[in-house]
Amino acid sequence: AFAVAGLADLALFRGMLADAVRLLQAAPAPAVAGDARQLVTLAEAQLAQGHEAGAGATAVTAAAQGQGDPAVVFLAGRVLAETGRPQAGELADRLRKEIDREPQIYGALLAGEIALKRGDARAALDRFGDAQKLADTWLGRYGLGRAQLAARRYPEAESEFDKCLARHGEATAAFLDEIPTYRLLPPVHYYMGLVRAGLKNDRGAAESFKTFVDMKNGGDEQGLVADARRRLTAR
């Protein structure tokens, strides 16, 4: 199970989505059906492939199986938010009502993700800010950077992404456990490219987009990767 988790995370880091899905689906039954962490990683891979219906269904199952793991609920909620499912809000509310601080942090982070998805940058800033008041996390900085970008507050967004890159080691296990999450790091370079473009720093933007594309070189991921390539070609 640990090997599958590491290999799947590495495949997603490199943009090799089909490989990640194949690894997770071919894993022994306990690693997929019984390990909610790997199940939610499968949902992320399916979402990145553009299979929203399948990703949403997998995320619902992962959230149900991982009720006692706030990280799983948060990750499943992110997928559900991206697919527009109302369960994302329910999961955020459940986490924020917990007594312990850890689930409260993930609840606030998930509420920020939901606000970002619906285009409410102000609410996203407030919710990610709530999470940061509880603890200064890599995920919180990443959320704030995207919220500042959505609000077109480019200097503030650049500052947050700078912190994410400076603290990139935290992205290897963003939930401070033994489960790898380094797949979260590459998009920081993409969003930094958008920020630098907003700041009219064309050279810096191109460098960020190229770094992102190079990380995904040889993979089958489209989405942000295709957009970054398009932006590089247009320059």
Side-chain angles (χ1 to χ4, degrees):
F2 282 116
V4 170
L7 290 170
D9 184 62
L10 181 59
L12 290 173
F13 179 96
R14 293 176 170 173
M16 302 166 69
L17 305 181
D19 285 354
V21 169
R22 186 162 49 249
L23 279 164
L24 292 162
Q25 290 182 332
V32 172
D35 188 329
R37 282 291 186 96
Q38 293 194 21
L39 197 58
V40 80
T41 304
L42 176 60
E44 292 180 60
Q46 292 171 326
L47 179 63
Q49 288 181 316
H51 302 156
E52 292 195 0
T58 303
V60 168
T61 302
Q65 291 187 5
Q67 291 184 52
D69 187 340
V72 167
V73 177
F74 165 71
L75 290 172
R78 286 182 77 208
V79 173
L80 293 170
E82 284 296 317
T83 59
R85 296 203 178 197
Q87 293 100 318
E90 297 169 8
L91 294 178
D93 289 342
R94 183 200 308 171
L95 288 169
R96 297 181 78 183
K97 290 177 182 176
E98 292 285 341
I99 295 175
D100 294 334
R101 185 176 65 167
E102 183 183 9
Q104 290 177 14
I105 293 169
Y106 296 135
L109 289 172
L110 180 53
E113 296 288 345
I114 294 168
L116 263 186
K117 179 61 179 179
R118 68 169 185 259
D120 190 342
R122 169 48 58 190
L125 284 168
D126 288 343
R127 300 293 78 77
F128 288 129
D130 290 342
Q132 286 298 96
K133 291 174 185 175
L134 291 167
D136 180 6
T137 66
W138 190 92
L139 287 166
R141 294 293 177 187
Y142 179 53
L144 282 173
R146 287 178 295 132
Q148 298 285 17
L149 173 60
R152 299 186 179 182
R153 299 173 61 176
Y154 300 120
E156 292 85 351
E158 185 176 39
S159 175
E160 296 297 345
F161 291 135
D162 275 336
K163 291 182 176 71
C164 287
L165 294 175
R167 295 165 53 175
H168 65 90
E170 295 176 49
T172 61
F175 300 104
L176 305 180
D177 54 21
E178 70 278 10
I179 304 300
T181 59
Y182 211 34
R183 62 189 179 276
L184 297 172
L185 182 67
V188 176
H189 293 284
Y190 170 81
Y191 290 117
M192 182 65 94
L194 295 182
V195 167
R196 288 173 170 169
L199 291 169
K200 309 302 181 185
N201 179 359
D202 292 341
R203 181 176 179 179
E207 289 175 353
S208 293
F209 289 133
K210 185 177 186 306
T211 298
F212 176 62
V213 169
D214 286 348
M215 285 178 166
K216 304 290 186 176
N217 187 36
D220 56 340
E221 184 175 344
Q222 296 300 312
L224 300 185
V225 180
D227 185 66
R229 289 191 177 119
R230 179 185 63 79
R231 291 174 184 275
L232 284 170
T233 302
R235 291 181 180 276

